[in-house]
């Protein structure tokens, strides 16, 4: 198995979701406003999935672009265990090429969650700019499996065909767990922030925002 034999193709969120459930630590695609999904293939076998979306936090895109459509966030990246070294960086590089050629997006943003033990090494290796770390905040921890959710999860709504607004089903489930003691609030340590400007003009804008990279 070699990365030079792998191919990358756009896929649907419906194709991506089962793979994410099996291979990503979050085990879900809930709350993602998907822009683009990609599959990584070894011949015909799906061995990786990547999802780009609108930024998860409202209005944060204003830090990185003039318009919301200018900025996408790499929200999910996962591969099967039996992949060679550099698979993820290869996967990222191929999707970046596609985004440059097929969209008007100007900046890719991604976060490395310190509470999951991630320090963003893959983004550093993929030539993303390091922009520091987010402020500490609150997360929701499910007690029986230690899975973490952003505290805004229980405020995730949808509007049905009759125009009625209601909590999404997974938000209801987590809220019930909080109420009955099966989940609890914990303080998050913050996330490492990375950005990849997609053209020379954007790279010049980001030069004065780059921070010294800290692996801790």
């Amino acid at each position: 198995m070699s990365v030079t034999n792998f191919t990358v193709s756009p896929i649907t969120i419906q194709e991506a979701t089962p793979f994410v459930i099996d291979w990503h630590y979050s085990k879900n695609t809930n709350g993602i406003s998907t822009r683009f999904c990609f599959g990584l293939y070894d011949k015909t076998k799906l061995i990786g999935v990547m999802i780009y979306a609108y930024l998860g936090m409202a209005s944060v895109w204003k830090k990185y672009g003039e318009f919301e459509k200018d900025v996408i966030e790499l929200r999910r990246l996962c591969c099967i265990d039996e992949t060679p070294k550099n698979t993820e960086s290869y996967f990222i590089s191929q999707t970046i090429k596609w985004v440059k050629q097929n969209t008007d997006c100007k900046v890719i943003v991604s976060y490395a969650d310190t509470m999951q033990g991630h320090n963003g090494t893959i983004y550093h290796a993929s030539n993303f700019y390091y922009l520091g770390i987010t402020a500490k905040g609150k997360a929701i921890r499910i007690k029986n499996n230690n899975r973490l959710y952003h505290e805004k999860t229980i405020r995730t709504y949808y509007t049905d065909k009759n125009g009625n607004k209601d909590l999404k089903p997974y938000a209801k489930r987590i809220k019930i767990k909080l109420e009955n003691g099966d989940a609890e609030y914990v303080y998050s340590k913050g996330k490492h922030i990375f950005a990849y400007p997609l053209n020379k003009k954007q790279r010049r804008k980001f030069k004065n925002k780059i921070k010294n990279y800290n692996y801790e």
Side-chain angles (χ1 to χ4, degrees):
M1 186 182 290
S2 169
V3 296
T4 58
N5 297 323
F6 298 160
T7 57
V8 175
S9 301
I11 60 175
T12 66
I13 186 63
Q14 290 78 16
E15 293 172 297
T17 296
F19 190 93
V20 170
I21 291 171
D22 287 341
W23 294 101
H24 193 268
Y25 68 86
S26 71
K27 303 298 181 185
N28 69 78
T29 58
N30 296 330
I32 296 178
S33 298
T34 305
R35 295 285 300 276
F36 317 111
C37 296
F38 297 93
L40 178 69
Y41 291 89
D42 182 13
K43 297 180 182 178
T44 60
K45 180 183 178 182
L46 182 65
I47 61 170
V49 158
M50 197 177 310
I51 301 173
Y52 290 100
Y54 288 103
L55 266 66
M57 299 294 289
S59 299
V60 172
W61 61 265
K62 294 178 182 179
K63 295 181 180 179
Y64 307 109
E66 295 181 55
F67 304 99
E68 187 174 12
K69 66 181 178 61
D70 292 342
V71 187
I72 55 175
E73 180 182 344
L74 200 171
R75 291 293 300 273
R76 296 287 188 272
L77 168 58
C78 52
C79 298
I80 65 172
D81 292 336
E82 303 82 16
T83 53
K85 184 179 179 181
N86 300 324
T87 295
E88 290 183 335
S89 57
Y90 171 81
F91 194 6
I92 290 173
S93 70
Q94 296 303 302
T95 63
I96 288 175
K97 287 180 183 178
W98 189 96
V99 171
K100 282 183 177 180
Q101 293 170 0
N102 296 280
T103 80
D104 293 324
C105 295
K106 295 178 173 61
V107 181
I108 297 171
V109 176
S110 195
Y111 299 90
D113 192 346
T114 58
M115 291 195 74
Q116 297 291 341
H118 300 163
N119 58 27
T121 304
I122 184 61
Y123 303 122
H124 188 64
S126 298
N127 297 315
F128 279 62
Y129 292 165
Y130 179 62
L131 304 183
I133 195 164
T134 65
K136 294 180 180 179
K138 285 198 303 184
I140 299 170
R141 184 180 72 85
I142 308 301
K143 291 182 180 180
N144 70 344
N145 59 16
N146 287 322
R147 191 174 299 168
L148 296 171
Y149 295 87
H150 195 283
E151 57 93 18
K152 74 168 187 173
T153 300
I154 59 170
R155 299 190 298 277
T156 307
Y157 292 87
Y158 75 101
T159 302
D160 66 22
K161 62 182 180 181
N162 297 317
N164 299 312
K165 188 176 180 182
D166 197 6
L167 282 173
K168 289 190 174 182
Y170 74 91
K172 287 183 179 179
R173 291 194 294 269
I174 294 172
K175 189 173 182 179
I176 290 171
K177 288 181 182 296
L178 278 170
E179 292 170 350
N180 64 24
D182 291 333
E184 62 183 354
Y185 285 107
V186 294
Y187 284 97
S188 61
K189 299 176 182 178
K191 298 179 181 181
H192 293 292
I193 311 165
F194 295 87
Y196 192 100
L198 292 166
N199 57 52
K200 290 181 179 179
K201 181 179 178 181
Q202 294 299 318
R203 285 195 287 273
R204 287 195 296 270
K205 288 182 178 180
F206 277 81
K207 284 293 185 182
N208 63 352
K209 299 181 180 181
I210 300 173
K211 309 291 185 184
N212 290 327
Y213 186 60
N214 185 349
Y215 283 85
E216 305 203 356

